[in-house]
Every structure is written in C-alpha cells, then in structure tokens.
Amino acid sequence: VRRFINNPFLLVIAVGIVVAVLPLMLSSSFYLRVIALVYINALAVLGLNLLMGFAGQVSLGHAGFFGIGAYAVALGPTYLGMPSWASLIGGSALSALLAFVVGRPILRLSGYYLAIATLGMGVLISMVVSNESNITGGPNGMEVPRLVLFGWRVAGPLTWYWISGVTLVIGVLVVVNLMESPTGRALRAIHDSETAARVLGVDVARYKLLAFVISAVFASIGGSYLVLLDGFVTPTTTSFLLSIEFVVMAVLGGLGSILGSIVGAAILVILPQFLTVFHDYEHIVLGTIIIVFLIFLPAGIVPAMASFVRRGSA
Amino acid sequence: LAEFLQFAFSGLTVGAIYALVALGFTLIYNASDVANFAQGEFVMLGGLVTVFAMTAGVPMVFAAMLAVAVAGLVGLLLHRLAIEPAHSASPVTLIIITIGASILLRGIAATVFGKDFHSLPPFFGSEPFVVGGATLLPQSLVVLVGVGLILLLLWLFMKRTLTGKSMMATAANRVAAQLTGINTSAVIGIAFIISAVIGAIGGILVTPITLTNSDIGTMLALKGFAAAVLGGMGNPVGAVVGGLLLGLLEQFSAGYLSSQYKDAVAFVVILLVLFTMPQGLFGARKVERV
C-alpha cells in the first residue's frame, strides 16, 4: 500500500479526478471562473516551483513570461493575423527563447543577485508593454480576440474551466515525469549543493537553464489562457507584484511540492474573492494570513501536512 | 552644463533616499540574513505619521520625532512578532514573511491615513538656490546633509559603542558572537529598530519634495533592494554608492533619453554590472562549502 501511495503518478490521477468532479458540485459560472483562475495560476506556479523548489533558483520576474504569453495572444491576431492558438504557441516559443538567451548569464548569479537580475528582466518586459501604448494600448490595455478552434468560438467559464484544468493535469504529468527522470535527480542535486552536483559530474548550467526554460513556457501558457478567458489584457499581467504573488503562492503551498503549487495558487486566488467582504481591510487580512501561515508552517502548507500525516501513521 | 547639474542634483536627492533604504536593508541583512522587503514601508510611515501628527496640531519637530518613534516600534514589532518566531525558516520563507508584513503595513496605513497623496512644508522655505545655472531646492540640500549626518552617526555607532560593536560581531559570525556572550536576538532587534528609524527619517526628509502616500513603500523597497545588490549585498558602503548611482542613473536617463524608460535604463545597467561582477560592485566573492 505504501508503495502505491508513494507512486508520484497517483498525484496526476488525483488532480485529474478533482478537475473532473468539481464542475458537478459548482454550477455557478462565477465559481467555475474562479477555479479556472486557480488552474491558470497553478500552471505558472508549477513551473516556478520546478525552478525554485526543485532546482533551487529564485525568480522574481516570472510575470514577465506570463505577460509575454498574454500579449502574444492579444497582438498576434490583431496585428499579424495569426490565429490565437498559433499566437499562444508563438508566445510560448518566444518565452522559451528569451529564457534560453538571458538564462545563461542570469543563472550564473545566485541568491539575491539572481533575484534582482530576474526582477530586472521582469520590470523591463513590463515597461515595454506599458510604454509602447500605440501598439499595446499602454496602461489601458487592449481587447483580446476570442480563441477560435475549427470554427468553434471558445468562450465562457465552463469551456475555459476544462481547457485550463486539462492543461494543468498535463502540466503536473510533465513535472512528475521530469522529476522521476535523471534530469529530476540532477535538479535536486543542484538544489542541495551546486558545487557537490558539479563535482558529481552534473552539467549544472545546462540543467538550471532547462528548468528556467520550462518554467518560462508554463508561465507563458498561463498568461495566454488568462487573457483569452478575460478577453482583455493589461500590463498588470506583467507586473512585479504578480511575480511576487507567484513566488508567495509557491512558498505558501510548499517549495518543491507539486500539490503545494496548486494549493498555494488556490489560496491566493480564492481568498481575495472572499476578502472583498472585508473591503478596506483586505490587505491587512491578506498580510496577516501570509505571516501567520509561514510562521507556523515555514516549509509551506502541503509539506507540513504531509509530515503531519506521516507522523500520525507511524 | 546647467542641464547636467540639474539632473545631478535631482539624481543625488532621489539617490540619497535609495541609499538610506539600501542601508536599512544591509543592516538587517548583515545582522540576520533576512532581506526585509518591508523596508520601504518605514519610509512611508515616517512621512505619513508626520503629516497626520501635524494636521492634528503637533509642531513639526515633535511630529517628526513621533513618526520616528512609531517606525522604530513597528520595526521592533516586525522582528519580535514575525521574524523571530520563524527564525529557523529558510531565507525565502523569511522574505515572503517580510512581504506579508509589507502588505499588512500598507493595508493598515491605507485604512488609517487613506490613500491620498500628502506633502510636508519644506523645512527652510522653497526659494531655490541657483548653482551654475541649475536650481537647487533648499530641501534637496536638507536631504543630502541629513543623509550624510545619518551615515556619520551610524558609522560612529558601529565603531564607538558596545552595542554597535556587538552588532558588527553578530554580522560577522552569529554563533561566535553568541559564544562571547552577546545577546544576538536583542542585537538583531536593535538592527530592525535602527533600520526603521533610518527609513522613517528618510521619509520625513524627502516628503516635501516627492510627496507621500500609503503605496510608496513597494517601489522604494524595490529600488533600495536593487541598490543594495548593485553595491554588493551586505556592504554598507556599497549600499550608499549603489543608491546614489541608481538615483543618478534614473535622473540622467529620464533627462537625456526618455522619462518613460528611466527605470529600464537603471535595470539594464544593474543587469550589465551583475553579468560582469556577479557579486555587485563591492561584494566579496563567497565560497560555497560542501
């Protein structure tokens, strides 16, 4: 039984079941939309967690990639006449390329230096989309044409619930697969000690770059989905605060935990929906929750719960 | 030349505030290895508490003292209630806690003071000096002199007082400091208070020029952090130089290139510096032990 429970692919199935069952319980389109937002954010956080939790590299600029994906599906169809799905792929490719190009020099840095460098990259991307207002509409944003697949106009919360849910399951599958492969072992070795990993013959630079590129693609797809769902894009999709939010989601849920990425995203997406009740006190409550959670569960929610359950069964 | 001087003056003024935020970062980072992202909120508190104490009829000097005291108290509370209980957590977790604290403080400030912009009267009038064809506000001078004084006092504190020396010892090696009988927890608490006080003074000095509201903290924390990293994390001289450099870069690129992309130029320079000097301008190379 233990072997069965420890099988990482079980997680993929579990997430799949949750995605499949939730719409049966939530009928209102408001809830479906919120959960779709959870999946979209979770996708970006999952990629970030691969980089931060598994490879141990901080990024404070992931909203940059999120924004590239978002603006790709806005600009591609509007200016280049590219279909939305092709723009989405193009955006991901662009994010991957950018991550590949800047990744080499940036990932040589470590700790706070890496944090500032990635942050700088995110700020630069954000600045381009908010300043080139004759193309992007600047701070006012622009309309995003609806996705059309085989003549079918993809819109509505339920449709996007399924698209984002299925993509998230695929994303989880990709990460689980990766972590079970030699690549995953190499990444974990880098996380524990870069020098030790290098001594053992791990090509540190290559694996860090790989994690960076994959996480960029995840974020980019998330960005594309978000604005296709909303039908509108603004520079907030690239903002520094969003980058920070992704990091908070990853840390709150649990660094190095796949399920943690989803839980972290769920908390930070769903909570503000309820906190609007508190109106002016929204920030106070949110800040307090982050502090209290991390003081009592410094490893993040999911790893803390996992160790609690393990202790209980032993 | 007049133009050049003008940009230099404004760059140094803005840069001096970045330098103070970066210095606050460095103090806390050295004492406790925490990058405190709530540092900008101290600057915000300094300005806003002074403004509101003055509208309540308190004379400016006392209002400013009150603001500094409030910020110092908040700094202490931040350490005691949020950082100390989680001291065994990883650095990333601690950073997120300070981000939570920053959101919390911003929320409190927004409910207590509102979200409007406020200003303070300049300390010595607003009749500008003319230097080499460029105008220099008296308040800019106040900022520069004030920041210089703070640096001097801080230096004296570190070199001449027992508390300062134990702070340096804690920064150098926490375990060793503890073994010599230094109460490192108290020292770290003091580092938080001093950082908060420095930030608040900076906020009071600069509010007559730049205005203030409950939201300014985030951007300041970001710039201060960038300045500290640019100079080399943990190096106080680097923090000050990094701050001034960042201010100058911003103002010159705003003046000569494009005001929309002034932050972009600053970050491009930071990236270039880090690519060539991965430890910042004054940072020491660290060796990873296995």
Side-chain angles (χ1 to χ4, degrees):
Chain A
V1 178
R2 166 149 295 183
R3 188 139 175 227
F4 177 69
I5 286 180
N6 283 338
N7 187 339
F9 290 95
L10 199 66
L11 184 66
V12 184
I13 298 167
V15 173
I17 291 174
V18 171
V19 169
V21 168
L22 268 183
L24 301 177
M25 301 192 287
L26 305 166
S27 46
S28 103
S29 62
F30 171 75
Y31 288 122
L32 283 175
R33 187 176 172 277
V34 171
I35 304 292
L37 289 178
V38 171
Y39 294 159
I40 289 169
N41 279 281
L43 194 65
V45 177
L46 193 60
L48 185 63
N49 215 335
L50 182 73
L51 184 70
M52 285 182 63
F54 294 112
Q57 309 297 313
V58 186
S59 169
L60 294 184
H62 255 58
F65 298 121
F66 197 80
I68 289 179
Y71 275 92
V73 293
L75 299 176
T78 313
Y79 292 100
L80 307 173
M82 267 162 72
S84 297
W85 60 268
S87 306
L88 187 150
I89 296 171
S92 313
L94 190 65
S95 292
L97 184 71
L98 181 69
F100 184 76
V101 172
V102 298
R104 279 247 163 207
I106 277 187
L107 291 169
R108 275 176 45 218
L109 306 168
S110 60
Y112 294 118
Y113 299 95
L114 177 63
I116 267 303
T118 49
L119 188 157
M121 182 204 69
V123 170
L124 290 179
I125 295 171
S126 172
M127 231 163 267
V128 171
V129 295
S130 38
N131 285 339
E132 297 305 317
S133 46
N134 47 343
I135 305 174
T136 63
N140 296 326
M142 65 184 289
E143 296 253 349
V144 177
R146 293 290 180 192
L147 173 65
V148 179
L149 282 178
F150 314 113
W152 171 50
R153 197 168 158 277
V154 183
L158 186 63
T159 319
W160 277 103
Y161 173 90
W162 286 113
I163 295 178
S164 54
V166 169
T167 313
L168 179 64
V169 173
I170 297 173
V172 171
L173 183 65
V174 168
V175 174
V176 167
N177 232 329
L178 199 67
M179 292 323 292
E180 292 302 307
S181 71
T183 309
R185 279 196 292 280
L187 288 177
R188 274 192 292 254
I190 294 172
H191 178 250
D192 291 341
S193 166
E194 242 177 68
T195 312
R198 189 174 293 120
V199 170
L200 290 172
V202 174
D203 187 346
V204 172
R206 193 176 138 241
Y207 282 109
K208 284 204 277 189
L209 191 61
L210 180 73
F212 195 54
V213 169
I214 295 176
S215 69
V217 171
F218 274 48
S220 178
I221 295 175
S224 299
Y225 279 9
L226 177 75
V227 299
L228 283 172
L229 165 70
D230 282 345
F232 203 78
V233 63
T234 64
T236 48
T237 51
T238 62
S239 76
F240 162 67
L241 286 178
L242 187 64
S243 292
I244 292 285
E245 240 173 77
F246 288 149
V247 176
V248 173
M249 287 174 188
V251 174
L252 200 61
L255 281 180
S257 162
I258 294 170
L259 189 58
S261 309
I262 304 172
V263 171
I267 291 178
L268 250 68
V269 170
I270 296 174
L271 204 59
Q273 309 284 345
F274 289 107
L275 291 186
T276 47
V277 182
F278 292 100
H279 222 59
D280 294 338
Y281 305 107
E282 195 188 327
H283 279 126
I284 300 182
V285 177
L286 189 64
T288 312
I289 287 174
I290 292 174
I291 295 175
V292 170
F293 261 102
L294 287 180
I295 285 176
F296 292 107
L297 308 172
I301 294 168
V302 171
M305 271 169 29
S307 74
F308 182 74
V309 169
R310 226 172 287 137
R311 230 179 300 149
S313 70
Chain B
L1 180 74
E3 215 179 24
F4 179 87
L5 270 179
Q6 190 66 63
F7 297 145
F9 288 154
S10 53
L12 284 175
T13 312
V14 183
I17 297 307
Y18 295 162
L20 281 189
V21 179
L23 199 63
F25 253 122
T26 309
L27 269 176
I28 292 182
Y29 174 75
N30 279 346
S32 67
D33 286 333
V34 177
N36 173 27
F37 272 85
Q39 191 65 33
E41 312 311 323
F42 297 140
V43 181
M44 176 270 288
L45 280 177
L48 277 184
V49 173
T50 311
V51 168
F52 276 80
M54 279 180 72
T55 37
V58 181
M60 186 163 195
V61 182
F62 295 110
M65 279 158 69
L66 178 71
V68 170
V70 168
L73 183 68
V74 170
L76 181 66
L77 289 177
L78 173 64
H79 174 243
R80 281 291 124 95
L81 300 181
I83 304 297
E84 176 100 333
H87 66 279
S88 57
S90 69
V92 184
T93 304
L94 289 173
I95 292 178
I96 305 297
I97 289 181
T98 66
I99 290 175
S102 140
I103 296 174
L104 173 66
L105 288 173
R106 216 182 316 146
I108 294 176
T111 37
V112 176
F113 303 122
K115 290 187 172 179
D116 298 331
F117 274 93
H118 296 281
S119 184
L120 283 171
F123 299 177
F124 300 105
S126 48
E127 194 62 41
F129 305 111
V130 178
V131 183
T135 56
L136 177 62
L137 288 172
Q139 190 65 29
S140 295
L141 221 52
V142 172
V143 170
L144 289 174
V145 173
V147 170
L149 268 177
I150 290 175
L151 292 180
L152 185 69
L153 284 176
L154 193 65
W155 185 79
L156 284 175
F157 170 75
M158 287 297 182
K159 294 284 175 192
R160 295 291 158 84
T161 68
L162 200 58
T163 321
K165 283 179 182 164
S166 46
M167 197 172 287
M168 304 246 288
T170 309
N173 187 331
R174 204 181 318 170
V175 179
Q178 217 157 10
L179 288 174
T180 60
I182 294 170
N183 182 349
T184 49
S185 165
V187 165
I188 295 172
I190 293 171
F192 270 86
I193 297 176
I194 295 179
S195 290
V197 165
I198 290 177
I201 296 176
I204 298 166
L205 293 180
V206 82
T207 298
I209 304 175
T210 59
L211 309 185
T212 188
N213 83 342
S214 59
D215 273 341
I216 61 161
T218 317
M219 214 49 198
L220 279 170
L222 189 63
K223 297 283 173 62
F225 181 41
V229 167
L230 179 63
M233 201 77 187
N235 185 323
V237 179
V240 174
V241 175
L244 292 177
L245 213 58
L246 193 61
L248 286 172
L249 267 172
E250 260 181 38
Q251 295 303 319
F252 278 120
S253 46
Y256 287 118
L257 296 168
S258 138
S259 61
Q260 288 178 323
Y261 280 103
K262 64 172 186 172
D263 291 338
V265 176
F267 275 108
V268 166
V269 171
I270 290 175
L271 284 176
L272 289 179
V273 168
L274 289 181
F275 289 165
T276 46
M277 286 180 265
Q279 306 292 327
L281 293 172
F282 297 92
R285 181 161 282 278
K286 277 211 180 98
V287 179
E288 188 195 358
R289 283 175 188 278
V290 182

